[in-house]
Amino acid sequence: MTKANLFDELMMRRAIELARRGLGFVEPNPVVGAIVVDSSGTIVGEGWHQNYGGPHAEVHALAQAGVKANGATLYVTLEPCCHFGKTPPCSRAVIAAGIRRAVIGMRDPNPRVDGGGIEELRNAGIAVEIGLLEHDAQRLAAPFVNLVTQHRPWFHGKWAMTLDGKIATRSGHSKWITNEASRAVVHQLRGRMDGILVGIGTAIADDPALTARPKGPRIATRIVVDSVARLPVESQLVQTASEAPVLVLTTTAAPSDRCACLRDAGVEVIAIDSDSNGKPDLNNVSLELGRRRFTNVLVEGGGQMLGAFFDKGLIDEVHAFIALKLVGGSDAPSPLAGHGLEMVTDCPSIQQPALQVLDGDIYLSGPLIRPH
């Protein structure tokens, strides 16, 4: 690698680092980072997309650079937009600032952009290079890409388990498998989600609040997949519906009086077309959440719900918290129930997993890659 290429990579890594600051603040927009570097190699402007509806990363970086942007290089993790949305096109701001060269992490697959921003920059005489650290840029933009191309959220599968892969003992006891440090990270995750989803079994057995403590940048909608509207009105979820939204996804088989009771308590109840087992079809669930522009949804379980999402190929990213404890027992539940896979060769795997030790617990996370 040449010195010039190494410098470019360092600058793009910095832009990616800046982009991460927007997680939880900008969705359903993508997180984006940008840097302006003058001809001497000095960073004269930095920016990231800070708030949904606010200026994009390029605009922040160009504003900080001011007149020093003239003749400079722009490093940006995602192709500049070229359409009027909540803000004017970034491509025009880049051109007006006098940028000489643009290094872009990845093309924007949004049909409203999809190469149009790159074309505008090139037509203005700007040298454009695409694909530097593209994998890292794609990893950052994956939830946004999922939403604009598949019209569904990015589903995060989360579970806490023992070293032998159990989420509870054979009697169902599970508090607490992991330690306080792990639970604090879970609350951080919750705080940047659009939705937190459980099945009715978990909602009844655990009576969870499913809130982030302390609060994060987003207040997630608590989602219960509940075929016949069994969620108790006295549950924590219903009792706190005025503090954070609760959405019950049921079917046409749900008794109307049960649905009415939940609605009267401030819960949104909608019927989803059912699958062959009479449960809300998860593909339809995912599309309903996508229609609501949910970008990130945390699937917290239990094992039946996580397994059902896994069987449908809907788990996009895993967050596994592993306590160095042993439970044993063939009847003790594991994180993924459902049907499972028949062949090891069909198993998805975590791509470039991140690994942390949290006061003795192990936290492993990363996106799932499925065999072709």
Side-chain angles (χ1 to χ4, degrees):
M1 180 178 292
T2 67
K3 187 175 180 180
N5 288 341
L6 179 59
F7 180 81
D8 284 348
E9 183 173 318
L10 287 171
M11 293 300 99
M12 186 61 76
R13 287 200 186 282
R14 173 61 180 164
I16 288 169
E17 180 183 324
L18 290 169
R20 290 195 181 100
R21 297 183 184 182
L23 287 169
F25 293 93
V26 305
E27 292 84 357
N29 283 351
V31 294
V32 181
I35 292 179
V36 178
V37 178
D38 69 14
S39 57
S40 71
T42 301
I43 295 175
V44 294
E46 292 187 333
W48 65 95
H49 189 20
Q50 298 178 12
N51 298 100
Y52 177 68
H56 292 184
E58 304 94 316
V59 173
H60 282 296
L62 292 169
Q64 191 177 99
V67 296
K68 294 179 181 178
N70 189 40
T73 296
L74 171 71
Y75 297 87
V76 61
T77 57
L78 183 70
E79 174 185 1
C81 65
C82 56
H83 61 87
F84 282 91
K86 289 186 176 295
T87 60
C90 290
S91 55
R92 297 186 188 180
V94 173
I95 294 166
I99 289 292
R100 175 185 59 85
R101 174 177 174 245
V103 181
I104 298 169
M106 64 172 283
R107 184 168 170 151
D108 186 343
N110 186 342
R112 300 181 71 187
V113 183
D114 197 18
I118 292 167
E119 183 179 7
E120 283 194 8
L121 298 185
R122 284 179 169 157
N123 288 342
I126 297 173
V128 179
E129 299 166 28
I130 310 161
L132 181 63
L133 298 183
E134 184 171 24
H135 178 271
D136 300 82
Q138 289 173 339
R139 171 70 189 90
L140 267 179
F144 164 76
V145 171
N146 227 41
L147 188 61
V148 299
T149 61
Q150 298 188 44
H151 312 293
R152 71 168 181 84
W154 183 261
F155 288 108
H156 301 251
K158 169 262 166 184
W159 59 82
M161 69 181 186
T162 59
L163 190 59
D164 55 338
K166 308 296 184 181
I167 61 172
T169 66
R170 67 175 185 270
S171 68
H173 186 258
S174 62
K175 292 187 177 180
W176 294 100
I177 285 177
T178 51
N179 61 31
E180 289 186 9
S182 291
R183 296 197 293 276
V185 173
V186 171
H187 284 288
Q188 291 172 13
L189 275 172
R190 287 178 175 179
R192 65 176 182 87
M193 295 287 147
D194 294 302
I196 302 168
L197 184 148
V198 297
I200 184 59
T202 295
I204 290 175
D206 295 348
D207 191 23
L210 301 180
T211 52
R213 301 180 294 275
K215 292 180 179 179
R218 305 185 87 75
I219 296 177
T221 296
R222 284 89 54 82
I223 306 162
V224 183
V225 180
D226 183 4
S227 303
V228 291
R230 289 194 293 141
L231 183 66
V233 173
E234 61 272 14
S235 66
Q236 283 199 80
L237 288 168
V238 177
Q239 292 299 309
T240 59
S242 61
E243 301 169 25
V246 179
L247 171 64
V248 169
L249 301 176
T250 188
T251 68
T252 54
S256 58
D257 59 335
R258 288 291 310 145
C259 295
C261 284
L262 290 171
R263 290 189 178 109
D264 289 345
V267 174
E268 183 180 5
V269 183
I270 65 168
I272 298 290
D273 289 342
S274 57
D275 60 19
S276 58
N277 296 313
K279 297 179 180 180
D281 183 89
L282 294 185
N283 286 321
N284 292 330
V285 166
S286 71
L287 293 175
E288 171 62 26
L289 299 181
R291 185 186 67 79
R292 294 166 181 257
R293 305 295 289 163
F294 283 14
T295 309
N296 291 281
V297 172
L298 188 65
V299 183
E300 289 219 17
Q304 293 296 331
M305 185 56 60
L306 281 161
F309 268 84
F310 179 77
D311 287 344
K312 289 282 191 178
L314 291 173
I315 298 293
D316 300 298
E317 184 169 338
V318 165
H319 301 268
F321 296 84
I322 306 165
L324 303 185
K325 302 172 182 175
L326 299 174
V327 165
S330 57
D331 294 331
S334 63
L336 300 178
H339 297 294
L341 299 171
E342 293 186 6
M343 304 291 291
V344 172
T345 50
D346 294 332
C347 292
S349 57
I350 294 181
Q351 183 183 49
Q352 295 183 341
L355 191 66
Q356 291 179 253
V357 178
L358 303 170
D359 288 350
D361 287 351
I362 296 170
Y363 169 37
L364 191 150
S365 63
L368 283 181
I369 300 298
R370 293 171 173 82
H372 295 295

